[in-house]
Amino acid sequence: MSLLIVKADWVITLNERGERLRDADILVRGPAIAAIGPGVGEKALSSGEPIDEVIDGRGKVVIPGLVNTHHHLYQTLTRNIPATQDIPLFPWLVKLYEVWRELDVEAVEVGALVGLGELLKTGCTTSTDHHYVFPRPGGRAAGSGPSDGPAAGGLIDAEIRAARRLGIRFHPTRGSMSLGRSQGGLPPDEVVQSEEDILADSRRLAETYHDPARYSMCRLALAPCSPFSVTTELLRRTVELARALGLRAHTHLAETKDEEKFCLDRFGCRPLEYMERLGWTGPDVWFAHAIHLNDDEVKRLGETGTGVGHCPSSNMKLSSGVCRGPELLAAGAAVGLGVDGSASNDSSDMWGEMRQAYLLSRLAHGDRGFRAEDVLRLATVGGARVLGRDDIGHLAEGMAADLVLIDLDQIGFAGGRHDPVAAIVASGDSHVVDTTIVDGRVVVRGGRLTEADEKDIVQRANRVSSEMLDRAARRTGTDYMQPSA
Ligand SMILES: [Zn+2]
């Protein structure tokens, strides 16, 4: 399969020299960029080399595909529920755990189709997912019956199927919760699992799906949910297993003051120190949020090259706080962007997330705040570093053919084309993506998914979402249509 983009108005390479090419072409062979620059197309066409598809780049800007470093895809089915709106993280979680208890294989698959579909349509070509809710059959609590067995319902398998179907590069994480309410944790006992089941399933998934090769379309990471929903022992054993298997490790950290208080009360130290004691820093670890850090903690994350997934929309919606992004980057940490779960955003709009990151940083950090190109770098180069990939994130010969074309000839950009990067970050709207190419394949064309019927996804998602809410309402007696007090 080969593909040629000809005469793009701009190609924003984000390479080390920060080159922005004018009237440039990109030749793609198989999964990678074979050549890039002005004149490349003419040469390829006159050589007689068969080209499967030629895309007209006139009026368009081409950027590297965006990288989403944090998500909970299943939450696409539980967004905008009146009873869970506009409350902080802990009470928000307690209400939603009861709805998430209704997740099954179909829900996880259709939730992934929704979230990954929206990501592709908003320019994201590589996404992680953090799935940590594994409800026990029949609502049994952990330890009250036989083990669920290593398959744990096949939920991660279901989202990997969805990613393959849509054609997105995928970094699922095997999440986990092991500290139920009866042991002082936040989640109900019915959605937590035993350590042995979690670790056995982590190993199975790594052996089945993890591909460390260049241009890999699927890499697994291990991701206990948070300090307040897993045991100390599970955190320690998970990062050890991840390192033994050559996987990365991920969790939420320093998201709220409630979490800080939980750690101080229970472990006698702040969240980062707790994780450091357990071996949880380094270039193979990334944390979602990392908001409530003091100066010394910012420095320690920088020195260890630990990654941070900055999720501005979620942090604003849950009133969590503002990530010290510019300072973390300056200290040496890897910083990427994430949309976070759709119940706290409430969308999987990676393009919108860039704009949020830009505006929030201008407000919160003043002169030191991110500029438009810094934010585009977070969403590409930064995300690639967070995920430990040297084959995605910028455009050059030999890099993965993950490309996004935006049509600048639209009313949202009119009168504002003086700087193409500022234009795409701050102007237009989130759904201006014309074409998304992943691994050398066109997966969004004319703004629509090519590999799945969007209407079918919408109908299935609405049905499954209503069924989950109905079952949860019957079981708990909660009126989820009643706004939160
Ligand atoms: Zn999250």
Side-chain angles (χ1 to χ4, degrees):
M1 180 80 192
S2 61
L3 194 150
L4 181 65
I5 300 169
V6 286
K7 296 225 173 311
D9 276 18
W10 293 93
V11 173
I12 310 300
T13 66
L14 300 181
N15 64 14
E16 278 177 7
R17 296 184 300 283
E19 283 176 305
R20 300 176 176 189
L21 310 175
R22 297 300 310 262
D23 299 320
D25 311 329
I26 301 176
L27 176 65
V28 171
R29 279 197 207 105
I33 295 171
I36 184 167
V40 160
E42 221 167 288
K43 205 170 146 197
L45 290 169
S46 62
S47 74
E49 171 183 347
I51 307 275
D52 295 301
E53 181 170 357
V54 177
I55 295 174
D56 185 357
R58 284 174 299 179
K60 300 193 176 72
V61 55
V62 185
I63 61 166
L66 308 180
V67 180
N68 176 37
T69 61
H70 188 61
H71 207 323
H72 310 288
L73 291 166
Y74 67 88
Q75 292 182 8
T76 55
L77 302 182
T78 61
R79 42 185 167 174
N80 304 319
I81 297 171
T84 67
Q85 296 304 291
D86 309 322
I87 48 179
L89 180 72
F90 275 22
W92 175 88
L93 279 171
V94 167
K95 282 197 175 172
L96 278 165
Y97 285 139
E98 294 299 334
V99 186
W100 298 338
R101 273 174 69 171
E102 301 299 334
L103 284 170
D104 57 16
V105 168
E106 186 187 16
V108 169
E109 187 163 352
V110 76
L113 287 170
V114 172
L116 295 173
E118 191 179 1
L119 284 168
L120 285 172
K121 283 163 65 83
T122 55
C124 176
T125 53
T126 299
S127 183
T128 59
D129 184 51
H130 186 183
H131 187 98
Y132 55 82
V133 184
F134 295 84
R136 295 173 67 89
R140 279 185 290 113
S144 66
S147 155
D148 292 333
L155 302 186
I156 304 288
D157 308 66
E159 59 174 13
I160 292 173
R161 274 199 303 279
R164 283 181 176 166
R165 178 163 167 215
L166 296 180
I168 193 167
R169 210 178 287 282
F170 197 36
H171 283 230
T173 67
R174 204 305 179 181
S176 54
M177 295 196 291
S178 62
L179 190 69
R181 208 162 287 156
S182 63
Q183 295 169 277
L186 201 64
D189 290 358
E190 291 77 8
V191 294
V192 307
Q193 293 181 291
S194 74
E195 288 175 19
E196 297 314 320
D197 282 352
I198 291 164
L199 295 170
D201 195 46
S202 300
R203 195 178 276 280
R204 175 189 72 85
L205 288 163
E207 285 164 1
T208 310
Y209 297 109
H210 181 70
D211 175 9
R214 191 167 177 81
Y215 312 130
S216 166
M217 290 295 285
C218 187
R219 288 192 190 166
L220 188 80
L222 303 186
C225 186
S226 63
F228 51 83
S229 57
V230 301
T231 54
T232 303
E233 195 49 25
L234 183 65
L235 280 170
R236 191 195 322 270
R237 291 176 72 187
T238 299
V239 77
E240 282 171 9
L241 180 64
R243 288 185 173 133
L245 296 172
L247 310 180
R248 304 176 89 71
H250 176 52
T251 192
H252 296 97
L253 200 78
E255 181 175 2
T256 64
K257 286 283 182 192
D258 284 342
E259 176 199 328
E260 190 174 295
K261 183 176 182 318
F262 180 93
C263 289
L264 286 167
D265 290 349
R266 195 173 168 105
F267 311 120
C269 63
R270 293 167 54 78
L272 180 61
E273 187 184 338
Y274 175 56
M275 298 305 280
E276 286 172 317
R277 287 181 194 169
L278 302 172
W280 269 83
T281 46
D284 56 353
V285 170
W286 87 102
F287 297 127
H289 309 303
I291 294 168
H292 299 283
L293 301 173
N294 60 34
D295 291 348
D296 195 52
E297 289 166 339
V298 168
K299 199 168 146 228
R300 273 145 49 203
L301 285 182
E303 281 167 358
T304 51
T306 305
V308 169
H310 171 37
C311 307
S313 296
S314 170
N315 298 160
M316 286 191 269
K317 169 146 181 166
L318 297 178
S319 314
S320 301
V322 184
C323 174
R324 298 171 68 178
E327 290 158 275
L328 281 162
L329 265 187
V335 183
L337 271 192
V339 298
D340 201 0
S342 296
S344 66
N345 183 311
D346 288 329
S347 94
S348 306
D349 177 350
M350 193 59 192
W351 208 271
E353 208 62 34
M354 278 199 296
R355 190 165 194 268
Q356 296 280 45
Y358 170 60
L359 295 175
L360 178 62
S361 188
R362 298 314 309 162
L363 175 68
H365 305 127
D367 288 348
R368 296 169 295 110
F370 292 132
R371 292 165 179 259
E373 184 159 334
D374 297 332
V375 167
L376 183 59
R377 281 188 173 274
L378 286 189
T380 51
V381 183
R385 185 178 162 208
V386 166
L387 298 186
R389 295 197 68 135
D390 60 5
D391 55 350
I392 61 171
H394 70 272
L395 302 182
E397 203 180 305
M399 294 295 285
D402 290 3
L403 305 158
V404 175
L405 280 77
I406 304 106
D407 184 358
L408 290 180
D409 285 341
Q410 299 197 53
I411 201 157
F413 295 115
R417 292 176 58 157
H418 316 291
D419 175 345
V421 172
I424 62 174
V425 171
S427 303
D429 71 51
S430 300
H431 297 94
V432 295
V433 169
D434 179 80
T435 305
T436 304
I437 297 165
V438 185
D439 200 40
R441 284 173 58 209
V442 175
V443 293
V444 171
R445 193 191 302 278
R448 306 287 291 178
L449 299 175
T450 61
E451 304 302 307
D453 179 343
E454 292 185 24
K455 259 196 182 148
D456 178 57
I457 295 173
V458 171
Q459 283 168 359
R460 277 180 73 195
N462 286 335
R463 173 179 56 79
V464 173
S465 169
S466 297
E467 288 169 358
M468 282 175 64
L469 212 54
D470 287 347
R471 289 200 301 269
R474 276 200 301 276
R475 180 167 42 73
T476 62
T478 306
D479 180 359
Y480 288 102
M481 295 306 119
Q482 203 59 36
S484 60

